[in-house]
Amino acid sequence: MLSNSAKNLPRSATIAGGGFCILTFAIGFLFQSVGSYQLVFGGLYLIYALAIAYWVFQTSATNLRWQWLELTLTPVSLVLIWLSLPIFVFLFTRLAILPPSFIANNETILRWPPEVEKRYYYFGFLLLTISIVLIRFWAGSFAPTQGKTARSVTNQVSQFDSLWQIVFPEKTSIRLMWAFVGLILGAGYFGAEIFLNTMLPEFHLNVLLGQIAAIDQGRIPVVEAHTQYGLGNQLILYRLMKYWEFSYAGAFVAQDIVNAITISVFFGFLFWFTGPVIGVASLFTYVLVPSPMKYYDLPGWAWFTRWAGIAINAMLFAEVLFMQSKKRLLWIVFPAVLAGVFSYLSQESLVATFIVVAVIVGYATGTKFLSFSEAVLLSGVFFVVNLVVYLGAVAMTVGIGNVPEALYLMGYHSRLITEGMTASHPLRSVWAANFYRFNYVAFPLMALLLTFTATDVSKDQNLKFHKIFLGIFAGAFSLHFLTMIRADLGHLSAPSYLLAPFFYCVLFCFYRLVSLNVKSVLAVLLFFCVPLMYGGVTQYGELAGLLRNQSNFVRSAALVQDKLAHMTELREINQTLGLSERTVAQRISLDLDEYERIMPTMGGYEYVADLTDIAAFTRNRPTLFIESGGGHNYFVAGLNVGSSIIDPVGSMWLESDYDWWKATLEIDQPECMFTRHADHPIAIWILEKQGLEDAELQPFGTDYLGICF
């Protein structure tokens, strides 16, 4: 309750502040075109006014129908909310409304037609939800008394607490047992599906293999072999291919191995963290909603390690944060180190993990489990250790002196994508669009419910439900934010590790966290059942097919075993071949059947013959392919890579990037050049630099013209 002095604060000033916010929003509608961004912009203002209006209500409300409200605002927390929320409004204006850098600088766009209006969706989604969390954070940080305990539904189900000890176990030994069960079930249910899929060459993998060829020749990763998909993932692919089979087929095997292990480990963590009910329900209905298993076979792109670390870290961080131990400050180092490792694998994990920590710490403090000082200390230690591990790993890979350049290059295209330079939109796939629409409402709605109705965390059985729910909610929210930045079916599915577990957490845990009455809880549960029912109707065929495959699990296991044995034989052959002994055919596959399957998709025997001629022509001199799509030629033909920019499809997005490419070529000094078009600006520039403006380029097959200087 508020003090008398607080109650005597002039309400007129408070009401005027809220009215000012709403009036500003109304003026924006009158003098600008009405669009999505105004709606989200107005939503921030309305949340701002809502906190003020609630404080006004709290000073005089006596009606019992409002007693489900758990938020207690003091003058201090109110002032902090007043000071904080305008910052979010400013960030939204800066990130989502002002022109992005490539438009402000009048850049000519080469690769992607921009859709900058997408920024209104994903930045509004992020900032609106975080601003709601912030209200509860400030309220809990300076609340004068312990809040109310859960009423209504919670008390009515207390008789089932013994059952919850089984389905939501707390003993370490039982939880480890369930972790092992989840690991085995994940491997058995999805491992065979992953290993028995057939992949074909695709431009994402083509770009990566060009970089792999450069690294194999001693070039520094990222700095001298540019990549978009994470420094660590690039090196994992390289090491596994060198160990197993240094070919296209070996790249497929490497991705299968990493994805099968990753999905198995993820389900091990999920069973350990949530217990068997949510774990089993999520496992067997995983394909009903967007999930990694709906988009796992895109070579070079669908690496599960790009996003799995965010989900695993959300669970680990929540586990450590809600520990009732004096050594919690030491234990927080473990998830921080792991977060640094996953950030090294893929830079997407770095920002997403910060969002996870903000949401979990916000509600842990808002429900009075953590004090303000504890929240600052634990978060600070986590961020510092995370960054030290990440930067240390990058420095060990590229060298200390190259760290600034590596960080810039890894973040360059991510920044452009975040600014809207992608040709995708949340509403352009019917199935995906429906989930985007639902989640755009569901996550902010859940944040509102937690902010206003979540009971304070007590040191009893309620603690584990807060831990489970907040860990899954924060991870699912952060991952879904990533899906909105580059929104299409693939980008929706692949990062959505925790979407199915989140829906089940709402069904099994939500009512233990809030003081809502039974009818209100049932309404919430019914709402969050909608995506599961929709997935059951639309994806039933896919689920049935997966279940049919698992019904013959013994046969699938035997096929996987035979495939692994065959790959082991090929690995032994691979280890006996030196680099100089490899032919173009061996870079496609050492296995004749795989070679015959893959080769037609790459251009057939003519492609192999052309690359063989190019390799003989260059005689291991530094070589440059100019057009997009030629990066994999370095790998297949074993050519000496003569450029840090391996494939323009992954690097040349703006016309100004050509200046960057020219600067790198001044350093690299390639001795041979191949192009599909003699009038390409880079080809003309190189010939002018060599004093060969009138030189005639030699044709190679039907695709390339080439010259050596």
Side-chain angles (χ1 to χ4, degrees), residues 126 129-134 136-137 314 317-318 321-322 352-367 370 379 383 443 446-447 450-451 466 469-478:
L126 174 68
T129 307
I130 293 295
S131 64
I132 296 171
V133 175
L134 190 67
R136 187 61 187 256
F137 172 75
F317 183 79
L321 197 73
F322 282 91
T353 300
F354 286 175
I355 297 174
V356 166
V357 172
V359 173
I360 296 177
V361 170
Y363 280 124
T365 307
T367 53
L370 295 179
S379 302
F383 289 147
F443 283 101
M446 182 52 65
L450 292 176
T451 293
H466 277 84
F469 192 88
L470 291 180
I472 299 298
F473 170 70
F477 166 70
S478 181

Side-chain angles (χ1 to χ4, degrees), residues 674-691:
F674 293 88
T675 180
R676 291 191 178 97
H677 306 284
D679 58 351
H680 191 284
I682 292 294
I684 294 174
W685 177 79
I686 289 177
L687 292 175
E688 290 176 350
K689 292 284 291 184
Q690 298 293 332

Side-chain angles (χ1 to χ4, degrees), residues 443-504:
F443 283 101
L445 173 63
M446 182 52 65
L448 274 173
L449 290 171
L450 292 176
T451 293
F452 285 94
T453 69
T455 59
D456 290 343
V457 178
S458 55
K459 306 293 194 295
D460 59 14
Q461 59 199 8
N462 231 27
L463 175 63
K464 63 184 176 185
F465 292 101
H466 277 84
K467 175 190 70 178
I468 293 172
F469 192 88
L470 291 180
I472 299 298
F473 170 70
F477 166 70
S478 181
L479 286 165
H480 190 67
F481 168 68
L482 292 183
T483 71
M484 301 184 77
I485 295 177
R486 181 76 187 274
D488 51 40
L489 181 58
H491 287 87
L492 170 63
S493 299
S496 295
Y497 279 85
L498 292 175
L499 195 57
F502 168 61
F503 294 142
Y504 287 114

Side-chain angles (χ1 to χ4, degrees), residues 189 193 287 539-552 556:
Y189 194 61
E193 184 80 6
V287 296
Q539 304 297 306
Y540 173 78
E542 186 170 345
L543 177 61
L546 184 60
L547 291 174
R548 281 195 299 269
N549 293 340
Q550 301 311 316
S551 65
N552 201 0
S556 297

